[in-house]
Amino acid sequence: RAGVRRQSARAGTALAVAAAIGTAGGTIEAQERTLRPFAAAVESGGSWSIDLPLSALAGDATAIPLDSASASTTLSVPLDASVDLESARLDLGVVNAAVLSDNSLMRILLNGKTVGQLPLRRDPARIRASLDLDPADFRSGYNQLSFRVAQHYTGSCEDPDAPELWTEIDATRSSLALTWQRRPVEGSLANLGQ
């Protein structure tokens, strides 16, 4: 019986994510690609959790490149209205070129609000960082998780598109860990989009 409840709850979680995706549109293939990682959500003591690799949010890309003096990228994170988010943590693996450490950094934004900064260093060029995100900064529907870099290789005049200016997020080793509780939802087709 517990196994049936767990399967039903997991299906409910997938449907909740599907509802959020359905309200934003997109092709069936794109919706399935976004839903696939949420099927791995684990329930424990009434809370659900998942450690979602950024590659699952970036179309299965293994790397997210940020090239030029000023570059940015945004990932969409679906969150259903019936979810009460308890905690969120972003774990990042970043590699960058030999940039000027004093003038180069990565800003991390959630729904347009800066939630963290990561200095880009010349040595070591491989960086691991963990950032706790405030659950109150998330909203129902699609959340925009953005990464913006400002990077420089010289203190004087420079070419903003120089090949020396690059940063790469390792999408397979970077992840977004979410823990949430499900609010009871009345079993009605009218609530499908909520």
Side-chain angles (χ1 to χ4, degrees), residues 18 21-22 24-36 142:
I21 292 168
T27 66
I28 299 277
E29 294 81 17
Q31 291 175 5
E32 287 176 355
R33 192 171 45 249
T34 305
L35 272 179
R36 194 177 320 131
Y142 277 100

mmCIF file with all atom_site columns, all heavy atoms in Angstrom, residues 18 21-22 24-36 142:
data_model
loop_
_atom_site.group_PDB
_atom_site.id
_atom_site.type_symbol
_atom_site.label_atom_id
_atom_site.label_alt_id
_atom_site.label_comp_id
_atom_site.label_asym_id
_atom_site.label_entity_id
_atom_site.label_seq_id
_atom_site.pdbx_PDB_ins_code
_atom_site.Cartn_x
_atom_site.Cartn_y
_atom_site.Cartn_z
_atom_site.occupancy
_atom_site.B_iso_or_equiv
_atom_site.pdbx_formal_charge
_atom_site.auth_seq_id
_atom_site.auth_comp_id
_atom_site.auth_asym_id
_atom_site.auth_atom_id
_atom_site.pdbx_PDB_model_num
ATOM 1   N N   . ALA A 1 18  ? 3.977  19.033 -14.916 1.00 0.00 ? 18  ALA A N   1
ATOM 2   C CA  . ALA A 1 18  ? 3.388  19.089 -16.249 1.00 0.00 ? 18  ALA A CA  1
ATOM 3   C C   . ALA A 1 18  ? 2.417  20.248 -16.365 1.00 0.00 ? 18  ALA A C   1
ATOM 4   O O   . ALA A 1 18  ? 2.365  20.935 -17.387 1.00 0.00 ? 18  ALA A O   1
ATOM 5   C CB  . ALA A 1 18  ? 2.680  17.778 -16.574 1.00 0.00 ? 18  ALA A CB  1
ATOM 6   N N   . ILE A 1 21  ? 4.359  23.349 -16.804 1.00 0.00 ? 21  ILE A N   1
ATOM 7   C CA  . ILE A 1 21  ? 4.918  23.392 -18.147 1.00 0.00 ? 21  ILE A CA  1
ATOM 8   C C   . ILE A 1 21  ? 3.818  23.686 -19.155 1.00 0.00 ? 21  ILE A C   1
ATOM 9   O O   . ILE A 1 21  ? 3.982  24.477 -20.054 1.00 0.00 ? 21  ILE A O   1
ATOM 10  C CB  . ILE A 1 21  ? 5.626  22.056 -18.481 1.00 0.00 ? 21  ILE A CB  1
ATOM 11  C CG1 . ILE A 1 21  ? 6.864  21.922 -17.613 1.00 0.00 ? 21  ILE A CG1 1
ATOM 12  C CG2 . ILE A 1 21  ? 5.980  21.971 -19.951 1.00 0.00 ? 21  ILE A CG2 1
ATOM 13  C CD1 . ILE A 1 21  ? 7.471  20.560 -17.650 1.00 0.00 ? 21  ILE A CD1 1
ATOM 14  N N   . GLY A 1 22  ? 2.669  23.065 -18.965 1.00 0.00 ? 22  GLY A N   1
ATOM 15  C CA  . GLY A 1 22  ? 1.558  23.255 -19.890 1.00 0.00 ? 22  GLY A CA  1
ATOM 16  C C   . GLY A 1 22  ? 1.118  24.700 -19.969 1.00 0.00 ? 22  GLY A C   1
ATOM 17  O O   . GLY A 1 22  ? 0.743  25.185 -21.036 1.00 0.00 ? 22  GLY A O   1
ATOM 18  N N   . ALA A 1 24  ? 3.007  27.222 -19.762 1.00 0.00 ? 24  ALA A N   1
ATOM 19  C CA  . ALA A 1 24  ? 4.021  28.008 -20.469 1.00 0.00 ? 24  ALA A CA  1
ATOM 20  C C   . ALA A 1 24  ? 4.130  27.629 -21.938 1.00 0.00 ? 24  ALA A C   1
ATOM 21  O O   . ALA A 1 24  ? 4.813  28.282 -22.691 1.00 0.00 ? 24  ALA A O   1
ATOM 22  C CB  . ALA A 1 24  ? 5.378  27.825 -19.790 1.00 0.00 ? 24  ALA A CB  1
ATOM 23  N N   . GLY A 1 25  ? 3.469  26.556 -22.345 1.00 0.00 ? 25  GLY A N   1
ATOM 24  C CA  . GLY A 1 25  ? 3.496  26.153 -23.747 1.00 0.00 ? 25  GLY A CA  1
ATOM 25  C C   . GLY A 1 25  ? 4.732  25.340 -24.060 1.00 0.00 ? 25  GLY A C   1
ATOM 26  O O   . GLY A 1 25  ? 5.415  24.847 -23.185 1.00 0.00 ? 25  GLY A O   1
ATOM 27  N N   . GLY A 1 26  ? 5.029  25.189 -25.344 1.00 0.00 ? 26  GLY A N   1
ATOM 28  C CA  . GLY A 1 26  ? 6.186  24.419 -25.767 1.00 0.00 ? 26  GLY A CA  1
ATOM 29  C C   . GLY A 1 26  ? 5.743  23.127 -26.427 1.00 0.00 ? 26  GLY A C   1
ATOM 30  O O   . GLY A 1 26  ? 4.595  22.735 -26.363 1.00 0.00 ? 26  GLY A O   1
ATOM 31  N N   . THR A 1 27  ? 6.690  22.464 -27.078 1.00 0.00 ? 27  THR A N   1
ATOM 32  C CA  . THR A 1 27  ? 6.379  21.227 -27.767 1.00 0.00 ? 27  THR A CA  1
ATOM 33  C C   . THR A 1 27  ? 6.295  20.085 -26.774 1.00 0.00 ? 27  THR A C   1
ATOM 34  O O   . THR A 1 27  ? 6.790  20.168 -25.652 1.00 0.00 ? 27  THR A O   1
ATOM 35  C CB  . THR A 1 27  ? 7.473  20.908 -28.801 1.00 0.00 ? 27  THR A CB  1
ATOM 36  O OG1 . THR A 1 27  ? 8.686  20.642 -28.088 1.00 0.00 ? 27  THR A OG1 1
ATOM 37  C CG2 . THR A 1 27  ? 7.668  22.051 -29.786 1.00 0.00 ? 27  THR A CG2 1
ATOM 38  N N   . ILE A 1 28  ? 5.676  19.008 -27.183 1.00 0.00 ? 28  ILE A N   1
ATOM 39  C CA  . ILE A 1 28  ? 5.584  17.806 -26.346 1.00 0.00 ? 28  ILE A CA  1
ATOM 40  C C   . ILE A 1 28  ? 6.984  17.320 -26.000 1.00 0.00 ? 28  ILE A C   1
ATOM 41  O O   . ILE A 1 28  ? 7.258  16.958 -24.866 1.00 0.00 ? 28  ILE A O   1
ATOM 42  C CB  . ILE A 1 28  ? 4.806  16.691 -27.082 1.00 0.00 ? 28  ILE A CB  1
ATOM 43  C CG1 . ILE A 1 28  ? 3.388  17.142 -27.391 1.00 0.00 ? 28  ILE A CG1 1
ATOM 44  C CG2 . ILE A 1 28  ? 4.855  15.395 -26.305 1.00 0.00 ? 28  ILE A CG2 1
ATOM 45  C CD1 . ILE A 1 28  ? 2.395  16.992 -26.299 1.00 0.00 ? 28  ILE A CD1 1
ATOM 46  N N   . GLU A 1 29  ? 7.905  17.326 -26.979 1.00 0.00 ? 29  GLU A N   1
ATOM 47  C CA  . GLU A 1 29  ? 9.266  16.862 -26.737 1.00 0.00 ? 29  GLU A CA  1
ATOM 48  C C   . GLU A 1 29  ? 9.953  17.722 -25.686 1.00 0.00 ? 29  GLU A C   1
ATOM 49  O O   . GLU A 1 29  ? 10.634 17.208 -24.804 1.00 0.00 ? 29  GLU A O   1
ATOM 50  C CB  . GLU A 1 29  ? 10.091 16.870 -28.032 1.00 0.00 ? 29  GLU A CB  1
ATOM 51  C CG  . GLU A 1 29  ? 9.631  15.879 -29.087 1.00 0.00 ? 29  GLU A CG  1
ATOM 52  C CD  . GLU A 1 29  ? 8.439  16.380 -29.903 1.00 0.00 ? 29  GLU A CD  1
ATOM 53  O OE1 . GLU A 1 29  ? 8.150  17.600 -29.903 1.00 0.00 ? 29  GLU A OE1 1
ATOM 54  O OE2 . GLU A 1 29  ? 7.774  15.546 -30.538 1.00 0.00 ? 29  GLU A OE2 1
ATOM 55  N N   . ALA A 1 30  ? 9.782  19.039 -25.763 1.00 0.00 ? 30  ALA A N   1
ATOM 56  C CA  . ALA A 1 30  ? 10.394 19.944 -24.782 1.00 0.00 ? 30  ALA A CA  1
ATOM 57  C C   . ALA A 1 30  ? 9.789  19.699 -23.403 1.00 0.00 ? 30  ALA A C   1
ATOM 58  O O   . ALA A 1 30  ? 10.491 19.703 -22.394 1.00 0.00 ? 30  ALA A O   1
ATOM 59  C CB  . ALA A 1 30  ? 10.201 21.395 -25.196 1.00 0.00 ? 30  ALA A CB  1
ATOM 60  N N   . GLN A 1 31  ? 8.485  19.475 -23.340 1.00 0.00 ? 31  GLN A N   1
ATOM 61  C CA  . GLN A 1 31  ? 7.833  19.219 -22.059 1.00 0.00 ? 31  GLN A CA  1
ATOM 62  C C   . GLN A 1 31  ? 8.333  17.909 -21.451 1.00 0.00 ? 31  GLN A C   1
ATOM 63  O O   . GLN A 1 31  ? 8.624  17.838 -20.261 1.00 0.00 ? 31  GLN A O   1
ATOM 64  C CB  . GLN A 1 31  ? 6.316  19.185 -22.228 1.00 0.00 ? 31  GLN A CB  1
ATOM 65  C CG  . GLN A 1 31  ? 5.740  20.544 -22.559 1.00 0.00 ? 31  GLN A CG  1
ATOM 66  C CD  . GLN A 1 31  ? 4.257  20.490 -22.845 1.00 0.00 ? 31  GLN A CD  1
ATOM 67  O OE1 . GLN A 1 31  ? 3.635  19.445 -22.708 1.00 0.00 ? 31  GLN A OE1 1
ATOM 68  N NE2 . GLN A 1 31  ? 3.691  21.614 -23.242 1.00 0.00 ? 31  GLN A NE2 1
ATOM 69  N N   . GLU A 1 32  ? 8.453  16.862 -22.276 1.00 0.00 ? 32  GLU A N   1
ATOM 70  C CA  . GLU A 1 32  ? 8.951  15.582 -21.775 1.00 0.00 ? 32  GLU A CA  1
ATOM 71  C C   . GLU A 1 32  ? 10.391 15.698 -21.290 1.00 0.00 ? 32  GLU A C   1
ATOM 72  O O   . GLU A 1 32  ? 10.768 15.131 -20.272 1.00 0.00 ? 32  GLU A O   1
ATOM 73  C CB  . GLU A 1 32  ? 8.845  14.510 -22.863 1.00 0.00 ? 32  GLU A CB  1
ATOM 74  C CG  . GLU A 1 32  ? 7.426  14.057 -23.107 1.00 0.00 ? 32  GLU A CG  1
ATOM 75  C CD  . GLU A 1 32  ? 7.316  13.071 -24.259 1.00 0.00 ? 32  GLU A CD  1
ATOM 76  O OE1 . GLU A 1 32  ? 8.344  12.802 -24.938 1.00 0.00 ? 32  GLU A OE1 1
ATOM 77  O OE2 . GLU A 1 32  ? 6.213  12.579 -24.491 1.00 0.00 ? 32  GLU A OE2 1
ATOM 78  N N   . ARG A 1 33  ? 11.231 16.456 -22.020 1.00 0.00 ? 33  ARG A N   1
ATOM 79  C CA  . ARG A 1 33  ? 12.629 16.641 -21.635 1.00 0.00 ? 33  ARG A CA  1
ATOM 80  C C   . ARG A 1 33  ? 12.717 17.349 -20.285 1.00 0.00 ? 33  ARG A C   1
ATOM 81  O O   . ARG A 1 33  ? 13.546 17.032 -19.451 1.00 0.00 ? 33  ARG A O   1
ATOM 82  C CB  . ARG A 1 33  ? 13.368 17.429 -22.722 1.00 0.00 ? 33  ARG A CB  1
ATOM 83  C CG  . ARG A 1 33  ? 14.844 17.424 -22.575 1.00 0.00 ? 33  ARG A CG  1
ATOM 84  C CD  . ARG A 1 33  ? 15.590 18.016 -23.763 1.00 0.00 ? 33  ARG A CD  1
ATOM 85  N NE  . ARG A 1 33  ? 15.049 19.245 -24.277 1.00 0.00 ? 33  ARG A NE  1
ATOM 86  C CZ  . ARG A 1 33  ? 14.441 19.359 -25.462 1.00 0.00 ? 33  ARG A CZ  1
ATOM 87  N NH1 . ARG A 1 33  ? 14.300 18.320 -26.245 1.00 0.00 ? 33  ARG A NH1 1
ATOM 88  N NH2 . ARG A 1 33  ? 13.975 20.523 -25.875 1.00 0.00 ? 33  ARG A NH2 1
ATOM 89  N N   . THR A 1 34  ? 11.820 18.317 -20.026 1.00 0.00 ? 34  THR A N   1
ATOM 90  C CA  . THR A 1 34  ? 11.820 19.035 -18.757 1.00 0.00 ? 34  THR A CA  1
ATOM 91  C C   . THR A 1 34  ? 11.262 18.166 -17.644 1.00 0.00 ? 34  THR A C   1
ATOM 92  O O   . THR A 1 34  ? 11.724 18.235 -16.510 1.00 0.00 ? 34  THR A O   1
ATOM 93  C CB  . THR A 1 34  ? 10.992 20.336 -18.876 1.00 0.00 ? 34  THR A CB  1
ATOM 94  O OG1 . THR A 1 34  ? 11.527 21.093 -19.962 1.00 0.00 ? 34  THR A OG1 1
ATOM 95  C CG2 . THR A 1 34  ? 11.065 21.160 -17.616 1.00 0.00 ? 34  THR A CG2 1
ATOM 96  N N   . LEU A 1 35  ? 10.277 17.328 -17.937 1.00 0.00 ? 35  LEU A N   1
ATOM 97  C CA  . LEU A 1 35  ? 9.657  16.473 -16.917 1.00 0.00 ? 35  LEU A CA  1
ATOM 98  C C   . LEU A 1 35  ? 10.546 15.320 -16.484 1.00 0.00 ? 35  LEU A C   1
ATOM 99  O O   . LEU A 1 35  ? 10.517 14.914 -15.323 1.00 0.00 ? 35  LEU A O   1
ATOM 100 C CB  . LEU A 1 35  ? 8.364  15.869 -17.464 1.00 0.00 ? 35  LEU A CB  1
ATOM 101 C CG  . LEU A 1 35  ? 7.111  16.669 -17.291 1.00 0.00 ? 35  LEU A CG  1
ATOM 102 C CD1 . LEU A 1 35  ? 5.944  15.925 -17.912 1.00 0.00 ? 35  LEU A CD1 1
ATOM 103 C CD2 . LEU A 1 35  ? 6.843  16.969 -15.848 1.00 0.00 ? 35  LEU A CD2 1
ATOM 104 N N   . ARG A 1 36  ? 11.312 14.778 -17.395 1.00 0.00 ? 36  ARG A N   1
ATOM 105 C CA  . ARG A 1 36  ? 12.102 13.573 -17.134 1.00 0.00 ? 36  ARG A CA  1
ATOM 106 C C   . ARG A 1 36  ? 12.880 13.623 -15.822 1.00 0.00 ? 36  ARG A C   1
ATOM 107 O O   . ARG A 1 36  ? 12.782 12.701 -15.007 1.00 0.00 ? 36  ARG A O   1
ATOM 108 C CB  . ARG A 1 36  ? 13.050 13.323 -18.317 1.00 0.00 ? 36  ARG A CB  1
ATOM 109 C CG  . ARG A 1 36  ? 13.674 11.978 -18.336 1.00 0.00 ? 36  ARG A CG  1
ATOM 110 C CD  . ARG A 1 36  ? 14.544 11.752 -19.574 1.00 0.00 ? 36  ARG A CD  1
ATOM 111 N NE  . ARG A 1 36  ? 13.961 12.296 -20.779 1.00 0.00 ? 36  ARG A NE  1
ATOM 112 C CZ  . ARG A 1 36  ? 14.629 13.072 -21.638 1.00 0.00 ? 36  ARG A CZ  1
ATOM 113 N NH1 . ARG A 1 36  ? 15.881 13.381 -21.442 1.00 0.00 ? 36  ARG A NH1 1
ATOM 114 N NH2 . ARG A 1 36  ? 14.037 13.538 -22.715 1.00 0.00 ? 36  ARG A NH2 1
ATOM 115 N N   . TYR A 1 142 ? 7.215  29.306 -14.242 1.00 0.00 ? 142 TYR A N   1
ATOM 116 C CA  . TYR A 1 142 ? 8.625  29.229 -14.594 1.00 0.00 ? 142 TYR A CA  1
ATOM 117 C C   . TYR A 1 142 ? 9.432  30.282 -13.859 1.00 0.00 ? 142 TYR A C   1
ATOM 118 O O   . TYR A 1 142 ? 9.097  31.450 -13.871 1.00 0.00 ? 142 TYR A O   1
ATOM 119 C CB  . TYR A 1 142 ? 8.809  29.405 -16.105 1.00 0.00 ? 142 TYR A CB  1
ATOM 120 C CG  . TYR A 1 142 ? 8.585  28.131 -16.861 1.00 0.00 ? 142 TYR A CG  1
ATOM 121 C CD1 . TYR A 1 142 ? 7.382  27.883 -17.496 1.00 0.00 ? 142 TYR A CD1 1
ATOM 122 C CD2 . TYR A 1 142 ? 9.576  27.173 -16.915 1.00 0.00 ? 142 TYR A CD2 1
ATOM 123 C CE1 . TYR A 1 142 ? 7.182  26.707 -18.181 1.00 0.00 ? 142 TYR A CE1 1
ATOM 124 C CE2 . TYR A 1 142 ? 9.389  25.993 -17.591 1.00 0.00 ? 142 TYR A CE2 1
ATOM 125 C CZ  . TYR A 1 142 ? 8.192  25.761 -18.223 1.00 0.00 ? 142 TYR A CZ  1
ATOM 126 O OH  . TYR A 1 142 ? 7.998  24.586 -18.902 1.00 0.00 ? 142 TYR A OH  1
#
